[in-house]
Amino acid sequence: EIDAVGVLRMRDDYLTRDLQPSRSVIWNGQRFSTNRWGMRDQDYELVKPQGTLRIALLGPSHVMGNGVGDGETFESLVEERLNREFGSGSSRRFEILNFGVDGYALPQQIALIKERALKFSPDVIIVTHYRQDRAMTETFLGKVLWAGYPVADRRLEALLAEAGVDPLDRGSIPVPSATARRLAKRLGLDPRMPSGEFSARVHRISDDVLDLSFSQLREIAEKHGIQAIVLALDDVLDSTAEGVPNREAIDAA
């Protein structure tokens, strides 16, 4: 697991994790290196060079490059081909900055755009989305809510409150139903929501959370004059014959 090789950095905030900067290890038999900015990529200057079209790419393990060596991620291969076929030396170049992090759900991608990617003045932002994003989003929300990390977006707070998981009872005694937990508190007990109830509540709003993320992407793009793209990735193991999930929200964004 990538957690064991010292590449992931655990965080006590909404992002929950990112990549350690300036690391180089062997993982799955391949060289895995990060640059000074904590990207699985070559080094880039913070200030975009003149004549450069800069693309920020975000996503989970597909993007980060699980199982391939340095320089073999798909973004690295595409960047090299763009410069070879369409670049013209220093007057026209392409840079694709790999902000991928293992296990990142779409809400984390949006948060990382705001925290880090915008600082690099990208002309294009690409987020990635695939069939497992709903389940990944539910897992992510579980980590955030059980840890008590603050949620900055008021619309997300409203969705969580509607689902009955914000605020979340995180006590020591599992007590089913909100009514029973309120009674337990009056009796001086320290109740918590059972994990099964929590999972069911979050599952009901996970699609809404993804739709909100696409809306946030559109807002970021409009505010900063950036082209936003949603890249629908296959999960490799199974086909996506049922189509792209959340397609209406993507089209609206």
Side-chain angles (χ1 to χ4, degrees):
E1 293 293 333
I2 191 172
D3 309 58
V5 296
V7 171
L8 283 179
R9 176 173 61 184
M10 309 312 293
R11 297 173 47 150
D12 296 325
D13 60 20
Y14 182 79
L15 276 173
T16 73
R17 58 202 264 169
D18 59 9
L19 295 181
Q20 294 273 14
S22 303
R23 291 295 176 94
S24 185
V25 301
I26 299 297
W27 180 47
N28 287 338
Q30 303 285 345
R31 176 62 60 181
F32 186 105
S33 303
T34 59
N35 65 20
R36 56 179 159 156
W37 310 111
M39 303 178 207
R40 172 83 194 281
D41 212 333
Q42 60 179 294
D43 200 26
Y44 297 98
E45 296 299 326
L46 182 63
V47 178
K48 181 174 60 181
Q50 187 174 359
T52 298
L53 178 70
R54 180 170 274 183
I55 302 167
L57 176 64
L58 299 100
S61 56
H62 302 65
V63 174
M64 187 187 72
N66 284 20
V68 300
D70 292 347
E72 296 177 342
T73 60
F74 76 82
E75 66 80 19
S76 180
L77 299 177
V78 171
E79 181 186 278
E80 188 278 329
R81 183 171 179 178
L82 285 173
N83 283 305
R84 172 165 42 87
E85 297 187 5
F86 302 103
S88 55
S90 59
S91 60
R92 179 176 174 80
R93 287 192 54 78
F94 299 87
E95 292 181 350
I96 306 179
L97 280 59
N98 186 350
F99 290 94
V101 179
D102 185 73
Y104 255 30
L106 185 62
Q108 287 167 293
Q109 296 179 49
I110 301 302
L112 193 61
I113 290 172
K114 296 176 181 179
E115 179 187 281
R116 191 174 306 173
L118 289 175
K119 295 177 181 178
F120 289 82
S121 304
D123 302 288
V124 180
I125 289 178
I126 302 175
V127 300
T128 53
H129 180 52
Y130 77 120
R131 283 195 313 113
Q132 296 302 317
D133 223 346
R134 182 178 185 180
M136 290 171 63
T137 295
E138 293 171 12
T139 299
F140 161 68
L141 290 175
K143 292 179 180 178
V144 168
L145 293 169
W146 284 111
Y149 299 145
V151 176
D153 189 274
R154 291 181 179 178
R155 291 166 295 181
L156 179 55
E157 287 181 339
L159 285 173
L160 297 173
E162 177 186 329
V165 292
D166 186 24
L168 178 66
D169 292 318
R170 299 190 298 271
S172 57
I173 305 172
V175 178
S177 89
T179 301
R181 286 190 291 275
R182 286 193 293 269
L183 177 59
K185 290 177 183 178
R186 294 194 191 104
L187 296 174
L189 302 176
D190 186 24
R192 67 173 170 84
M193 182 181 293
S195 59
E197 179 185 345
F198 175 83
S199 297
R201 288 176 178 272
V202 168
H203 184 71
R204 290 198 293 268
I205 62 164
S206 54
D207 268 338
D208 294 328
V209 173
L210 289 173
D211 291 351
L212 172 60
S213 297
F214 291 120
S215 295
Q216 292 173 313
L217 176 65
R218 183 191 66 245
E219 293 164 3
I220 292 170
E222 291 176 349
K223 179 179 179 179
H224 297 276
I226 297 169
Q227 177 66 51
I229 296 173
V230 176
L231 175 61
L233 287 178
D234 193 352
D235 62 6
V236 181
L237 300 177
D238 299 295
S239 71
T240 53
E242 67 272 25
V244 178
N246 306 86
R247 182 60 185 264
E248 291 184 3
I250 294 172
D251 290 342

